[in-house]
Amino acid sequence: MYNFKEIEKKWQEYWDKNETFKAINGSDKKPYYVLVEFPYPSGSGLHVGHVRSYTAHDAMARMKRMKGENVLFPMGFDAFGAPAEQYAIKNHIHPSQAVKENIKTFKGQMKKMGFSFDWSREFSTTDPEYYKWTQWQFLQFYKHGMAYKEKMPVNWCPNCKIVLSNEDSQGGVCERCGSKVVQKEKSQWMLRMSNYAEDLLKGLDDTNFADKVKLGQINWIGKSSGVEVDVDIVGGGKFSIFTTCIETIYGITFFVIAPDGKLIKELMPRVENKEEVNAYIEETLLKSNMDRTELNKGKTGVLVKGIKAINPVTKEEVPIYLGDFVLGSYGTGAVMAVPAHDQRDYEYAKAHNIKMIKVIDGEGIDLDNSAYEKDQYLKTDSKLVNSDKFSGLSVIEAKEEITKYLEEKGIARRVNNYKMRDWIFSRQRFWGEPIPMIYCEKCGWVPMDEKDLPLLLPNVVEYEPTDNGESPLAKITDWVNCKCPKCGEDAKRETDTMPQWAGSSWYFLRFMDPHNDHEFASMDAMKYWNKVNWYNGGMEHTARHLLYARFWVQMLYDYGFVPNREMIDTRVSHGMILGPDGLKMSKSKGNVINPDDIVNEYGADTLRVYEMFIGDYQQDAAWNIDSLKGCKRFLDRIFKLKENIIDSNNYTDEFLVNSTIKKVENDILTLKFNTAISSLMIMVNEYEKQKTITKADYSILLTLLNPFAPHITEELNEQIGNDPICNNTWPTYDQSKLVKDKFEMVVQVNGKVRGKIEVSSDFTNEEMEQTALSLDNVKKHIENKKIVKIITIPKKIVNIVVK
RNA sequence: GCUUCUGUGGCGGAACUGGUAGACGCGCACGACUCAAAAUCGUGUGGCCUUUGGUCAUAAGGGUUCGAUUCCCUUCAGAAGCACCA
């Protein structure tokens, strides 16, 4: 119908030439920062899912600009990481080359979509000018004691000889070769994220994240409050356990300690069955996390012979077991086991023939089949039994009294534990930011001098990982060998690189001041933009990326480098675009839709409108080509509507115009793009029915549609002789025009609709009731019945209740 | 197992703080234009019935209410995240 190719190209060039979307630091206009997660520039190009979230926020950015705000809507690329590395290994192309090409493709596709990004701020996390500051920030963290190196069990593929992330070892199988993944100890850089658990929890109050996003973060942090109790070992020594159910302490019949924890190593000299115990430890370490959690829920373990612990309250001697359900990395790595009141302990006790002691009495106890657990006994007013002087107390009272008692004895303290661990910050890969640390035999780990940054990635020729799992960087000796910055002696560089999450943890700050070469972003610039007002990304990133980014910012804040403790205000997430078959798009399923094909055949505006109209933005939606054609038809009809224009500056329908302005504006700000489009369709339907449309009507229609379909609207707007929409202001609606002088009154009898009639908006309740009662069909339904009462909602409804 | 979300015509989805269920779009049917088709335009479109009306319908069942897609309880189904976290 219309030549979208020509029109779209024309306006894209116009915007480029006029720098229409440039955000100005320090402008007097109100700053507004809209951010959509920058993509990983994969070889397969832009995905229709990208188009959805970019269009949505492009619409928001365009409207905000028209409303006179200084909008920062930036775009960049997160290009470090495994896929580029894999690609390099396969094709023997340096990842920097592949990344360069992929970015070019992505950028070209984005431009063809007409997104109003401020391209003058573009960067990639792989740019030395950018990762210089990622490294610099790491050094600040190190200097504040937040980075440390420690031996950690990691996922290890014995075949590929490579360390895998949890994501790459799903199902306990190596993603690359399919071998079974095992646990291996490796020395890793760590960031003390657990120190910030409480701050990250509290900080949520200063944000406007969507509830489900906040919840995701809260769950991930996983705070639990309990008591840490010291336990004496028969014959000397002691260890601690963590519990949230101190009220059951009199019911302890054994302790379980983690096979991968430190405690068993300390106890080892006194263990009588060393062989058996060592064998079990080996076995546990060989199992991947997967085995330990999903496949093997059976309660395996061995008795540690020769060592007994003393129940801190009853002084009874109880056995110690090793069990892999106890994790070395959580709490103290040791638990008290109360089989009568904890299902997991119960199963373990059954499997190993350990006795149980009931210490809480209540209804419906059935210890032959299951434990009487916390969630059951807390609901009822169960009382303690077999608990010495605490017997007879309620569970709530006992919790407090026992804690106090143990505190006074000096053998317990109240503690909070968090599921969230410290962040494993090193990867044995070469396509990442080099960690700017140097190891010197004499001085230990020494940070690089800040003035020597960036530490550039050397030109790697051999991409394959080394046999011992070190990064390929380790093989580049002239890069590895260096002088110790402290003593000047020979030293070696760290060859691990940072994880992919590093660069994305602060990129939103760099967008505020992207070309700064003496700091990562100036305080002035950050104070001007203040916060990211809107941040959009996938739900899959709410736990990790968002938490890492907040942690990173909170550290920077504590060292005085950023103005706010939370730099992201509102976080929203989009639903996925699924394939036409309703399944997640993937090459293997062959259900991938390439946005380029759609743009070529239907134009960018149609694709944009379609993806906004497809359904609730925050919900998943399946691709439907027919529905897309409907959107094309909609744009064609608007194009055709131009033939009906009559030269007038008046609106034919004030109510329609004003209510649509209000609707579109509110809907964009609340992410209800689908209903914004539908209200515009209603408008078009109306004007088509009227056979004529005034120039004023048409101009408003084009302006309101512009955020969604910027090219065709600019073109038509120009053709009718107006100034470009992007230079205009967003229309304001007149509240007084939203009041109608008539409304359709609905009359119900006993809640069922029995009549509708158009009446004046000025009607009083009495007038409404009288009118209602006069309707024939209503009379029929109240005949011979007694009117009990009449409920009248002004300007809406009258409900007559009869008996 | 835990947490969260979702469940509305043939389909995608509307319905503001409880107030006309099915907006808008797709599909379908019929009609116009055409030699014909496509495109376009017009009309209709939840089921059933005795069809200017009635009745049943928002996963199923119950409750609160004059009135429930919306609030509460129970059950079922699907999705996502976490997963032996003491």
Side-chain angles (χ1 to χ4, degrees), chain A residues 150-316:
Chain A
E150 197 178 70
K151 275 200 175 240
M152 283 285 304
V154 293
N155 300 310
W156 171 257
C157 171
N159 182 38
C160 303
K161 301 190 171 66
I162 192 172
V163 174
L164 297 167
S165 66
N166 285 331
E167 293 79 46
D168 294 338
S169 53
Q170 277 173 12
V173 163
C174 171
E175 200 175 64
R176 309 175 70 207
C177 70
S179 329
K180 214 167 161 51
V181 172
V182 298
Q183 299 292 296
K184 184 181 165 126
E185 291 237 306
K186 273 208 67 89
S187 198
Q188 303 267 26
W189 283 101
M190 309 281 288
L191 290 184
R192 292 189 199 280
M193 194 156 166
S194 53
N195 284 14
Y196 276 72
E198 201 57 46
D199 290 316
L200 288 169
L201 223 41
K202 265 195 229 130
L204 290 174
D205 295 341
D206 298 329
T207 70
N208 284 309
F209 295 174
D211 284 346
K212 64 174 175 178
V213 174
K214 280 192 183 180
L215 262 164
Q217 300 237 322
I218 290 167
N219 288 342
W220 188 269
I221 295 168
K223 179 178 180 172
S224 71
S225 305
V227 185
E228 206 174 274
V229 188
D230 298 330
V231 179
D232 288 321
I233 298 170
V234 179
K238 62 178 181 177
F239 61 94
S240 305
I241 55 99
F242 172 73
T243 180
T244 55
C245 305
I246 194 71
E247 64 275 12
T248 61
I249 191 167
Y250 283 85
I252 296 176
T253 53
F254 60 106
F255 289 93
V256 186
I257 60 179
D260 56 342
K262 287 185 194 128
L263 181 57
I264 187 63
K265 285 179 189 150
E266 288 167 28
L267 295 178
M268 201 50 99
R270 294 156 70 182
V271 173
E272 280 170 12
N273 55 337
K274 283 196 182 64
E275 260 181 45
E276 201 185 351
V277 166
N278 272 324
Y280 186 71
I281 293 174
E282 289 272 304
E283 195 187 310
T284 306
L285 290 179
L286 276 172
K287 285 180 195 171
S288 68
N289 284 334
M290 187 68 182
D291 288 331
R292 264 175 90 170
T293 55
E294 276 192 50
L295 301 176
N296 190 12
K297 292 245 180 183
K299 297 293 177 278
T300 67
V302 293
L303 176 66
V304 179
K305 288 181 183 154
I307 308 175
K308 288 209 163 204
I310 303 169
N311 179 326
V313 286
T314 63
K315 301 298 173 197
E316 193 188 344

Side-chain angles (χ1 to χ4, degrees), chain A residues 139 142-143 436-453 455 480-494:
Chain A
L139 290 181
Y142 178 80
K143 284 170 188 169
M437 296 294 294
I438 291 168
Y439 188 74
C440 165
E441 289 292 339
K442 226 192 317 179
C443 313
W445 283 106
V446 182
M448 269 179 70
D449 201 320
E450 287 174 16
K451 71 175 179 354
D452 294 334
L453 297 178
L455 169 58
V480 173
N481 293 328
C482 61
K483 298 291 174 198
C484 169
K486 213 170 174 181
C487 69
E489 293 295 312
D490 284 350
K492 285 185 189 307
R493 291 191 194 284
E494 173 59 71

